[in-house]
Amino acid sequence: MSTINQSRRRLFSRKKNDAIRPPWVKQSIEFTDECTRCDKCISVCETQIIVKGEGGFPEIDFKIDECTFCQKCVNACPEAIFNDTDTPAWQVKATIQDTCMAYQGIWCQSCKDACDPRAISFSLAVGKAPLPQIDIEACTACGACVAPCPSTAILVRAV
């Protein structure tokens, strides 16, 4: 089988929901059908978290930084594929994986320190490192907790 056929097969077998798109993208559209990959949202992102993803489509990379919800990506998009910014930016939330240092008995609260809405708290336990908890209602999915995590234990994904 040729390399072209293999890469084409991988493109079409990709899970559609594994990439986080820029904030406020309409859920009612097929993003890859509407987005022209003009890169305007990428160039205006003040924290540079919008990157070219698979197929050249914009994706969010919270390992770089957080979303400040500045709305520059919305205003730069000529295709108008964004919702009104009064709606939630994403249908995603932060989750903490088992690789969290606190679960290994190591005292770390870097995610809590980075979380402006205070959605991450730690429960104290005698003789143990405090364990993290995320208040899903308070989480804005800004991704501020992702980059500072030394064990890459925090993911932002669909809820």
Side-chain angles (χ1 to χ4, degrees):
M1 184 182 308
S2 74
T3 305
I4 294 172
N5 286 341
Q6 288 176 346
S7 62
R8 190 175 292 151
R9 183 172 289 147
R10 269 195 304 273
L11 175 67
F12 293 114
S13 66
R14 180 175 182 222
K15 294 178 189 173
K16 290 184 180 180
N17 294 327
D18 59 353
I20 298 175
R21 299 297 178 198
W24 294 292
V25 167
K26 292 178 182 175
Q27 298 296 311
S28 61
I29 64 168
E30 182 60 44
F31 182 79
T32 55
D33 289 345
E34 300 290 328
C35 177
T36 61
R37 298 174 276 193
C38 69
D39 297 342
K40 289 181 181 176
C41 60
I42 293 172
S43 63
V44 299
C45 181
E46 66 182 28
T47 56
Q48 301 299 297
I49 63 167
I50 304 177
V51 298
K52 271 190 188 234
E54 194 168 318
F57 293 101
E59 296 180 1
I60 300 297
D61 186 352
F62 287 123
K63 290 182 225 135
I64 298 169
D65 206 345
E66 67 185 284
C67 180
T68 60
F69 304 108
C70 68
Q71 302 176 15
K72 290 179 182 179
C73 56
V74 175
N75 297 328
C77 180
E79 284 79 39
I81 57 176
F82 293 94
N83 282 321
D84 179 6
T85 54
D86 290 335
T87 62
W90 285 292
Q91 297 299 315
V92 296
K93 297 291 179 180
T95 59
I96 300 173
Q97 308 304 300
D98 292 342
T99 56
C100 175
M101 292 170 59
Y103 295 137
Q104 314 309 316
I106 301 167
W107 190 296
C108 175
Q109 295 186 4
S110 60
C111 57
K112 176 185 172 189
D113 296 340
C115 184
D116 282 340
R118 299 291 176 227
I120 301 175
S121 62
F122 281 77
S123 59
L124 297 175
V126 177
K128 292 183 180 178
L131 299 177
Q133 298 171 348
I134 297 179
D135 178 352
I136 296 299
E137 297 300 316
C139 179
T140 62
C142 68
C145 56
V146 175
C149 179
S151 61
T152 61
I154 301 179
L155 299 175
V156 177
R157 59 181 173 193
V159 288

